[in-house]
Structure formats: C-alpha cells, structure tokens
Amino acid sequence: MAAKQGGAQKGSYRIGLLVPSSNTTVEPEFYRVLPVNVTLHTARLFLTEITPEAILKMVEELETQSRLLASADVDVVVLGATAPSFLKGLGYDREVIARIEKAAGKPATTTSTALLRALRFLGAKRVVLGSAYDDKVNAIAQGFLEANGFTVVAARGLGMVDNLAVGRLGPESAFDLARGVDRADADAMVLACTNWRTMDVIDRLERELGKPVVSTSQVSVWDALRMIGYRGEIAGYGRLLRSLAAEDLLAAVA
C-alpha cells in the first residue's frame, strides 16, 4: 500500500503505533524523537511475558486495534513490537503487515520489517545481536535475521521473560551488553526489544564500537518517518536517524 508522500515538513502527520500492553518504553522513545509536526497515537495488544505462546496470542487482537487506530486517520500504522513480527520466521512480518493494512486501510510496517530495511540501507551483512530476550526467543530472532540474508556472528540476550521487568532496566544494560558481545568482524550492532531502553546509548556505542548501531525502537521511528515522507536530520540517536535527510533515502530502501 502506497505511503503518503510530500514530506512531513510541509504539513502535520500522525503515526499509529501498536504496542504490547505491558510496554512502557517505546512510546517515550518515540515522543522524544518525533518532529513537532508528527504526532503519535497508540493502541495496545495484550502481552505480559515474552514467550512464543504469549506472543502468538497477542496478535489475535491485531485487526481490532488496527481498525481503532485507523479511525484517528493516522498516516501509517507501526507494529512497534519486535518478537510478534518475527515469530514465525521468513516472511512473517509481511503477513502481519498485510493483516494490518487490510483492517486499517492504511500503509503499515513492523519493527522487524523496519530492522531489515535499516540494515540493508546501512549496507550491513554481518551483525551482532544483543537483546533482552531469553535463549529461546533470542534464537528465533537470530533465525529471522539469517533467513533474510544476514550473518549473525554473535548473539546474546539478557534472559528476560517478564516484559514489565524489561521496561524497568536502565539504558546502561543495553550499553554494557553491546560492548560485551561486539565482534570486530561485524558490520553493525542490533539491539532488539522495543521495551528495552536503548535510544540514549546509541550515539555513544557508535563512537566506541566504530560501527552503526540500530535498536528496534530506533528503526521503528525511522521507518515510520521515512514512509510518511519526512526528510530532516534527527541528531542524537545514531547514524540511522541522521540519514533521514538523505535525498535518495526512498530509493535506497525500496
């Protein structure tokens, strides 16, 4: 479904965000980054634990909540949840997008789709994966990346299942994990879980590691702004959000 074009600088835009009900992080991270003429409107999907069973049940409400967001006349709908958009492997994020777009009648993306687009835009082929997840969900995330053509040279999770507990972690937990798991032969660092506070440490990690660092909240913001046509540098949250000013951005991720 075609996204609205023309640049957010020339008018006001609305982003619709679907979030897990226990997520306390992704909305504040969106608010901090969005330009003044782009507003955020959210709907919630029930989830308290990051387990495959709970994640699968969460998306049962997808159509209902997408229709509610569409009634606010949003310009794009984002499933701002990582695991629910990669759970079933290759192509599952596209299935989820199709469900949202059919229900909402609006262009849509998911966090996992945005992650793939961002890594391709940055030219990354070999990545390190750091997450808040336990080994089971982390392995599913790794498999999704590898099925989409990326080599995961190292992966480590915090072993968390309680999503509220993830939201209580400070950003230093992401910083420390990224430094500990990084590999010199990786093109980029991926930090996965939209309820994990990552945005505040991305710039610092890029300076220390000498490579692009993408987090799942960051790529969700980036893809939503890209889809509504926003063209302006957003500083302070890594190379990816600074790239929004690039004139060739649309062609680079088409």
Side-chain angles (χ1 to χ4, degrees):
M1 185 173 294
K4 185 181 291 186
Q5 300 299 320
Q9 302 97 313
K10 299 178 182 178
S12 61
Y13 291 84
R14 298 170 185 159
I15 293 173
L17 181 67
L18 293 161
V19 299
S21 59
S22 54
N23 190 311
T24 56
T25 297
V26 68
E27 290 155 299
E29 293 204 324
F30 258 80
Y31 292 140
R32 193 179 314 157
V33 173
L34 289 181
V36 294
N37 56 338
V38 182
T39 56
L40 186 69
H41 309 272
T42 62
R44 307 189 91 75
L45 303 165
F46 187 78
L47 180 91
T48 58
E49 293 189 340
I50 313 170
T51 64
E53 299 77 16
I55 293 163
L56 190 60
K57 190 167 182 59
M58 171 185 149
V59 295
E60 290 177 0
E61 305 173 72
L62 196 62
E63 283 82 2
T64 298
Q65 297 303 324
S66 297
R67 281 192 291 270
L68 290 176
L69 279 177
S71 70
D73 195 25
V74 295
D75 297 294
V76 64
V77 177
V78 182
L79 177 58
T82 316
S85 52
F86 66 55
L87 185 63
K88 294 184 180 180
L90 182 65
Y92 184 62
D93 60 314
R94 297 290 177 174
E95 293 179 28
V96 171
I97 287 173
R99 288 175 60 187
I100 295 170
E101 290 187 341
K102 183 177 180 180
K106 303 286 183 177
T109 188
T110 77
T111 292
S112 294
T113 313
L115 176 60
L116 299 177
R117 287 172 175 160
L119 290 173
R120 289 167 183 150
F121 173 74
L122 293 168
K125 299 183 184 302
R126 297 169 59 83
V127 303
V128 170
L129 171 65
S131 80
Y133 309 136
D134 67 7
D135 290 344
K136 183 183 293 186
V137 177
N138 210 43
I140 298 171
Q142 179 172 342
F144 178 80
L145 286 167
E146 291 174 342
N148 279 281
F150 299 96
T151 300
V152 179
V153 298
R156 185 183 303 169
L158 294 176
M160 312 232 9
V161 173
D162 183 337
N163 201 39
L164 272 175
V166 174
R168 295 188 185 107
L169 295 173
E172 290 301 315
S173 66
F175 182 81
D176 292 342
L177 183 99
R179 289 188 66 197
V181 74
D182 183 45
R183 286 261 301 265
D185 58 341
D187 303 321
M189 169 71 64
V190 175
L191 299 175
C193 183
T194 60
N195 203 26
W196 193 23
R197 292 173 59 192
T198 55
M199 299 282 277
D200 288 339
V201 298
I202 291 174
D203 260 1
R204 185 155 51 117
L205 280 170
E206 288 191 335
R207 289 193 298 270
E208 292 212 13
L209 303 182
K211 66 189 62 171
V213 175
V214 296
S215 84
T216 48
S217 293
Q218 174 214 43
V219 300
S220 299
V221 176
W222 173 80
D223 205 28
L225 289 174
R226 182 194 67 80
M227 289 177 70
I228 63 174
Y230 179 80
R231 295 295 172 267
E233 180 176 319
I234 296 177
Y237 303 100
R239 173 180 167 184
L240 185 69
L241 284 171
R242 292 195 300 272
S243 78
L244 282 165
E247 291 183 3
D248 61 347
L249 181 61
L250 275 173
V253 295

